Amino acid sequence: MKIEHPNFIIYTTSIWTDHSAKVSAISFDSKSNSLQNIDASNIYNKKHYDMYISEGNFKMADMFKPNESDRFCNPADFELESFEEFNHNSVPSKWYPTLVKFGKLAFEKIVWELNVDEDNFELGINSTKDWYDKTWNIRNSKG
């Protein structure tokens, strides 16, 4: 990042491992890209939300509620998605605890060495349940 994108302000970083594909990657996003993705997602979701509400199907409508966050958390849509990708020969079945340790170290190193949004930077890792699950946020690390 220092060499290829020295002026890129990192708003969100995602580090993920796909156990079955034996792949890990790191992705970086800017705040402007995140907000654009949220806007596009909300436009799409609003149509479905309104339709399900008008039908009285509140359970389905709930799945299309507007995103009120300012962070888009799908690494596939990050501005620099899969910036660096690594193919593994194998991934241990209990890979998640290792990824948590790596995520904590990566968060500290990224904050220290790269150009991050000083008030809102966040790093997330995936789990078996979500592509963006456990997070470290710069606001929570200041103190």
Side-chain angles (χ1 to χ4, degrees), residues 15 97-111 121 123-125 134-136 141:
I15 300 173
T98 302
L99 189 57
V100 170
K101 290 176 188 173
F102 184 77
K104 183 178 187 308
L105 292 171
F107 175 81
E108 293 168 1
K109 189 160 182 71
I110 290 168
V111 167
F121 171 68
L123 181 142
I125 61 169
K134 178 160 182 55
T135 62
W136 292 264
S141 70

Side-chain angles (χ1 to χ4, degrees), residues 1-140:
M1 282 298 288
K2 280 184 185 180
I3 295 167
E4 293 182 34
H5 301 280
N7 297 319
F8 187 90
I9 298 173
I10 305 167
Y11 182 63
T12 309
T13 298
S14 170
I15 300 173
W16 56 265
T17 294
D18 184 330
H19 178 265
S20 58
K22 299 183 211 167
V23 174
S24 294
I26 186 167
S27 305
F28 299 99
D29 204 10
S30 65
K31 186 170 187 175
S32 62
N33 188 67
S34 186
L35 293 173
Q36 287 173 6
N37 276 313
I38 289 169
D39 288 345
S41 177
N42 282 343
I43 289 168
Y44 173 85
N45 286 343
K46 182 165 178 18
K47 295 175 192 172
H48 291 86
Y49 181 79
D50 291 345
M51 179 187 73
Y52 287 121
I53 289 292
S54 70
E55 294 173 356
N57 190 341
F58 303 112
K59 186 175 182 179
M60 283 299 291
D62 197 44
M63 295 174 63
F64 293 93
K65 285 171 96 172
N67 184 347
E68 296 179 4
S69 172
D70 60 355
R71 189 175 313 278
F72 196 75
C73 299
N74 183 346
D77 293 318
F78 280 17
E79 191 166 335
L80 301 174
E81 63 92 17
S82 295
F83 177 77
E84 190 66 42
E85 195 170 296
F86 182 80
N87 293 300
H88 304 280
N89 291 326
S90 66
V91 176
S93 59
K94 298 190 186 220
W95 56 271
Y96 181 71
T98 302
L99 189 57
V100 170
K101 290 176 188 173
F102 184 77
K104 183 178 187 308
L105 292 171
F107 175 81
E108 293 168 1
K109 189 160 182 71
I110 290 168
V111 167
W112 183 257
E113 294 188 15
L114 298 178
N115 192 11
V116 300
D117 181 316
E118 293 181 9
D119 295 320
N120 297 299
F121 171 68
E122 183 173 278
L123 181 142
I125 61 169
N126 72 307
S127 68
T128 57
K129 297 175 185 157
D130 197 326
W131 282 106
Y132 192 84
D133 196 3
K134 178 160 182 55
T135 62
W136 292 264
N137 190 296
I138 200 162
R139 283 176 280 170
N140 298 336

